[in-house]
Amino acid sequence: MMFYIDRMYLNKMSKLINKKDIRTAKKWCKENHLKLYKDSSGEFAYRNDFDLAFDLPLINELKLKYGDNWEDFYHAYKNDELYKILNSPKSKKVEKTGYVPKGKLSSKLFGESLK
C-alpha cells in the first residue's frame, strides 16, 4: 500500500494567497512557519501543512468564539456545510458580560438580564 501526499508548488500557492510573485509567496511561507521543500520541479509545501497555515487565523477565531466546539465549526466550514451548524440551537453562544448594574439608572439602562 502506497500513500500519496499532495504537494502544492509555489506558483499555485501564490495564486491562493493572492500574491503575484513567487518571492512574496516564499516570504508568506516564512512568516507563517510553513516549511518549503525542493525537488526537480521547484519548491513546494505539503497540501495539509499549507491548509493549516492558511486557515490558522480562522481556527484561532473559532477557538475564541466557540471554545471546545471549534472543531465542529471548522469541519463544517471545510465541507461547505457551515449553514447547517450555524442554524442549530447548540451553536448559539451565550456571553456573560460580568457587569452587574449597581444603581437605579444602570438597572434601567441594562436591566436585570446581565446578572
Side-chain angles (χ1 to χ4, degrees):
M1 179 185 243
M2 188 160 186
F3 294 102
Y4 177 71
I5 299 176
D6 195 19
R7 297 176 176 183
M8 181 179 286
Y9 287 91
L10 276 175
N11 56 358
K12 186 172 182 182
M13 233 184 284
S14 63
K15 290 177 186 175
L16 288 175
I17 61 174
N18 203 18
K19 305 293 181 192
K20 293 181 181 179
D21 193 18
I22 291 177
R23 291 176 294 181
T24 312
K26 280 185 187 181
K27 183 179 176 185
W28 183 89
C29 291
K30 186 175 181 179
E31 290 171 356
N32 290 289
H33 309 290
L34 182 63
K35 185 171 171 113
L36 292 175
Y37 301 93
K38 291 182 183 182
D39 67 358
S40 59
S41 300
E43 291 185 83
F44 67 92
Y46 293 114
R47 176 69 156 193
N48 293 337
D49 293 341
F50 173 78
D51 288 342
L52 180 63
F54 188 73
D55 291 341
L56 196 58
L58 172 66
I59 291 170
N60 289 334
E61 183 69 28
L62 289 175
K63 282 182 180 180
L64 285 174
K65 197 169 186 179
Y66 299 107
D68 293 336
N69 297 333
W70 73 269
E71 289 183 59
D72 298 333
F73 287 89
Y74 180 68
H75 290 300
Y77 169 77
K78 291 300 275 185
N79 296 330
D80 290 329
E81 297 174 347
L82 198 56
Y83 64 93
K84 291 180 182 177
I85 199 165
L86 287 176
N87 292 333
S88 70
K90 73 175 187 176
S91 70
K92 306 292 184 208
K93 70 173 187 164
V94 177
E95 288 186 26
K96 293 186 178 180
T97 60
Y99 175 74
V100 178
K102 298 201 187 316
K104 290 181 182 178
L105 181 60
S106 298
S107 294
K108 285 182 182 177
L109 289 174
F110 298 108
E112 300 294 321
S113 63
L114 295 176
K115 287 184 180 178

